[in-house]
Amino acid sequence: MGDATLATVVKMQPALVLWKWTFAFVWFVWAMAVAVAERLALKLKLWKNASGETEPVHGAARARELGQPLGQPAAATPRSVNYHFTRKCNYKCGFCFHTATTSFYLPLEEAKKGLRMLKDQGMEKINFSGGEPFIHDRGDHLGELVRFCKQDLRLESVTIVSNGSLIRKSWFNKYGDYLDILAISCDSFDNETNDRIGRGQGNRDNRHVNKLYQIHDWCREHKVCFKINTVVNTFNKDEDMAENILGLNPMRWKVFQCLLLKGENCGESALRDAEPFYISDEEFQVFLDRHKSVPMLVPEGNAKMRDSYLILDEYMRFLNCTEGWKKPSKSILDVGVKAAINDAGFDEAMFLKRGGVYKWTNEEKKLDW
């Protein structure tokens, strides 16, 4: 190497050293920025908003964020719980997927204990269902649960799903102030179709539909938000319900695809055979397309419905439907909410994607009434 070349290398050494240190510093700053960004992302993704713009955190990342040991899944927060406190019903809907396999229901104080446990773990909304929830004690058992959840637990929203047949005006007079939303199941506005479905006990005079309109008026009088649930099946899939739904103007019209669950409405041990009621995804979509002019329509096909509800049965066990049947957890009264909810098979992301969080209270609706 010549003297000139050696001199050039010697002159470049300080620049090379400076470049190396600069590169190392930039790499360190970049790595720290990435680490901070990832941690912020984890915090933001613990709960996505109701519009579905973000995703919830699952697995090891969420466990770390919540301070739980790796390998132990993070328990979902039971924000919205569907408490099927009874399986008894006075109707015989052929597609029913929560059938009267038992006649058991918890004593009032035991039920209140479990509801308080759920509240302590983050429950904001409770939906009482069945079976038919008004079937016990002429509705007083249900009424006291509703009162307790709103007055004592101060839940954001207390709701009921009912076939409507056993509801009386006197119940509204006594408990209406504690109820936010009442959903009535209505699968058809045609009396013969209701007969074929089993929606009622002889609908020749259209009693089910007449009662629906009566309850609508009671809800309006008592400032309770009115909602309609419809199960689309073989016998109503070609019906056009738009005019009637628009006339009733419910806050929501939940439209479900007929769902098959082993041990409930299909299989050897089932009390119902819903196979003749089942429709394809394509048939369900045709029904939805026919009603696209109805702005309050909220569709739920089987993919959305099966794992996106926290279902609590009459023993206060979460029901896991991920395998096509209802596999119960241990009762929250025995093992606590956190232990039981880990066996619920609950898809938190789908719960939010299907719009499980919406305006749960009736304050704004009161202005419309």
Side-chain angles (χ1 to χ4, degrees):
M1 182 181 294
D3 292 342
T5 302
L6 181 60
T8 301
V9 172
V10 171
K11 290 179 180 179
M12 290 177 61
Q13 281 182 344
L16 290 171
V17 171
L18 178 62
W19 181 85
K20 288 180 179 179
W21 279 104
T22 300
F23 175 79
F25 177 75
V26 171
W27 181 88
F28 174 77
V29 171
W30 176 83
M32 290 297 294
V34 169
V36 171
E38 287 180 347
R39 185 164 183 81
L40 287 173
L42 288 174
K43 288 181 178 293
L44 289 172
K45 292 163 78 175
L46 283 174
W47 275 101
K48 77 175 184 176
N49 58 36
S51 63
E53 294 174 353
T54 60
E55 294 291 335
V57 178
H58 296 287
R62 187 175 181 197
R64 283 194 297 269
E65 189 62 24
L66 296 179
Q68 295 180 340
L70 293 180
Q72 177 182 334
T77 300
R79 296 182 67 183
S80 176
V81 176
N82 292 271
Y83 179 24
H84 294 250
F85 70 89
T86 180
R87 285 177 172 267
K88 292 183 68 176
C89 187
N90 60 321
Y91 275 14
K92 299 184 183 299
C93 303
F95 52 71
C96 180
F97 46 80
H98 198 74
T99 56
T101 54
T102 77
S103 59
F104 177 83
Y105 67 103
L106 279 172
L108 187 61
E109 292 307 313
E110 284 292 288
K112 287 181 178 181
K113 177 183 176 182
L115 291 167
R116 187 176 293 280
M117 291 169 66
L118 288 162
K119 162 68 174 180
D120 291 343
Q121 293 301 318
M123 182 174 68
E124 301 169 19
K125 175 179 180 285
I126 184 73
N127 178 48
F128 293 104
S129 188
E132 169 49 46
F134 283 88
I135 203 166
H136 292 291
D137 303 331
R138 296 187 177 180
D140 280 341
H141 183 87
L142 172 63
E144 290 306 316
L145 291 176
V146 167
R147 188 208 303 270
F148 173 74
C149 286
K150 198 66 181 181
Q151 183 173 272
D152 294 12
L153 299 186
R154 298 186 179 277
L155 294 186
E156 182 179 338
S157 183
V158 179
T159 75
I160 299 172
V161 174
S162 167
N163 64 38
S165 63
L166 301 178
I167 302 177
R168 302 291 180 262
K169 181 66 164 59
S170 58
W171 191 94
F172 275 93
N173 293 336
K174 191 173 182 180
Y175 300 109
D177 288 346
Y178 309 105
L179 184 64
D180 291 291
I181 301 170
L182 176 60
I184 301 299
S185 299
C186 177
D187 303 319
S188 176
F189 289 90
D190 178 79
N191 56 353
E192 291 186 4
T193 302
N194 280 322
D195 271 343
R196 297 173 74 184
I197 290 172
R199 178 67 73 189
Q201 297 166 325
N203 278 290
R204 294 303 173 189
D205 58 355
N206 223 6
R207 287 197 302 272
H208 181 75
V209 176
N210 291 339
K211 192 62 180 286
L212 175 75
Y213 279 90
Q214 187 178 44
I215 293 169
H216 168 271
D217 293 342
W218 291 342
C219 286
R220 185 183 185 91
E221 179 182 345
H222 290 269
K223 310 299 184 185
V224 174
C225 292
F226 181 70
K227 181 179 168 186
I228 296 175
N229 287 356
T230 296
V231 177
V232 184
N233 60 83
T234 303
F235 301 109
N236 68 355
K237 65 183 179 65
D238 297 321
E239 184 171 342
D240 189 341
M241 302 173 68
E243 182 178 353
N244 287 287
I245 296 296
L246 289 170
L248 285 161
N249 190 32
M251 66 169 293
R252 283 187 132 203
W253 181 32
K254 290 287 287 291
V255 177
F256 303 96
Q257 181 183 5
C258 180
L259 177 67
L260 299 180
L261 287 174
K262 289 179 287 186
E264 296 284 353
N265 60 9
C266 69
E268 293 182 1
S269 61
L271 296 179
R272 296 277 191 276
D273 179 14
E275 294 280 359
F277 293 82
Y278 184 77
I279 61 170
S280 66
D281 294 346
E282 291 75 19
E283 289 173 309
F284 183 60
Q285 188 59 52
V286 169
F287 183 93
L288 297 179
D289 291 341
R290 187 183 310 121
H291 294 89
K292 60 185 178 182
S293 64
V294 182
M296 64 284 293
L297 187 153
V298 181
E300 285 190 21
N302 289 343
K304 284 186 178 181
M305 182 168 39
R306 183 178 288 111
D307 307 325
S308 64
Y309 285 85
L310 274 176
I311 301 175
L312 204 66
D313 75 359
E314 64 274 22
Y315 299 100
M316 287 202 158
R317 305 175 301 184
F318 287 111
L319 298 179
N320 186 330
C321 301
T322 56
E323 298 178 9
W325 60 288
K326 291 180 178 178
K327 180 181 179 181
S329 70
K330 292 182 179 179
S331 174
I332 66 171
L333 297 171
D334 295 329
V335 300
V337 175
K338 286 185 177 180
I341 206 170
N342 278 331
D343 293 327
F346 178 55
D347 189 337
E348 216 168 33
M350 184 59 75
F351 164 72
L352 292 166
K353 185 177 181 180
R354 69 168 172 80
V357 178
Y358 57 96
K359 292 179 180 178
W360 283 343
T361 61
N362 64 4
E363 294 305 314
E364 291 191 12
K365 191 66 176 179
K366 284 181 179 180
L367 300 177
D368 297 336
W369 283 128

